[in-house]
Amino acid sequence: MLSFISLGSGSSGNSALVYTEKTFVLVDAGISAKQLRIRLKDVGVDPDKLDGILITHEHGDHTRGLEVFCRKLDVPIYCNAVTRESLSSNVSSADTWLIIECGDPFSIGDISINCFPVMHDAVDPMGFIFEKNGKKFSTFSGSL
């Protein structure tokens, strides 16, 4: 089963968890690292068990907690090259960046993922489509 839980939404910070029985993916880290840990534990997920972090775009309400959160985690961060470049001075602790391109499908664990461009006032924002066993849903910030 493919599931989604919002951990925070709005101008004060955005983050969500997409998960299956085997795979846990964080979408954005716009709330503090402390709150990310608390909210993940509240839904029964050990932050050390995350399989990846997807970043939709560089704005602080989507990345605010990323630097501190990643200091103690060895988890890959997925984003496009332009977003990575714009975050390079703010997120130095992240060791594992994986660059993705819109339209190029990839997988994290047992979740198939593709991304698509969205309209937003960011350098190169994107949304994500998640799929498992023929079930799909998408998440994005901005407007279509």
Side-chain angles (χ1 to χ4, degrees):
M1 184 159 85
L2 186 59
S3 299
F4 173 90
I5 295 174
S6 175
L7 301 174
S9 179
S11 59
S12 61
N14 296 278
S15 187
L17 180 69
V18 176
Y19 65 98
T20 67
E21 301 82 10
K22 298 177 182 179
T23 304
F24 300 93
V25 178
L26 192 66
V27 180
D28 289 334
I31 55 180
S32 73
K34 179 179 180 180
Q35 279 299 310
L36 280 170
R37 289 184 173 283
I38 289 169
R39 294 177 191 190
L40 285 167
K41 287 183 180 182
D42 284 350
V43 298
V45 176
D46 178 350
D48 292 322
K49 300 296 183 192
L50 287 173
D51 297 292
I53 300 173
L54 300 173
I55 302 298
T56 60
H57 64 285
E58 79 281 2
H59 289 168
D61 61 328
H62 293 264
T63 61
R64 185 174 297 119
L66 189 61
E67 166 75 17
V68 174
F69 189 68
C70 289
R71 283 184 188 159
K72 297 179 181 177
L73 292 177
D74 183 26
V75 60
I77 298 171
Y78 297 79
C79 66
N80 61 40
V82 177
T83 299
R84 170 63 180 116
E85 180 63 29
S86 69
L87 291 172
S88 63
S89 63
N90 297 335
V91 187
S92 58
S93 67
D95 292 328
T96 310
W97 290 86
L98 296 172
I99 303 303
I100 54 177
E101 298 289 333
C102 281
D104 290 345
F106 62 100
S107 294
I108 300 176
D110 60 353
I111 302 173
S112 297
I113 304 167
N114 205 335
C115 46
F116 56 93
V118 296
M119 298 291 291
H120 193 50
D121 62 343
V123 294
D124 195 10
M126 61 184 162
F128 296 100
I129 301 168
F130 302 91
E131 182 176 7
K132 182 180 179 199
N133 296 333
K135 305 291 183 188
K136 292 182 184 183
F137 70 87
S138 66
T139 169
F140 66 92
S141 295
S143 56
L144 291 176

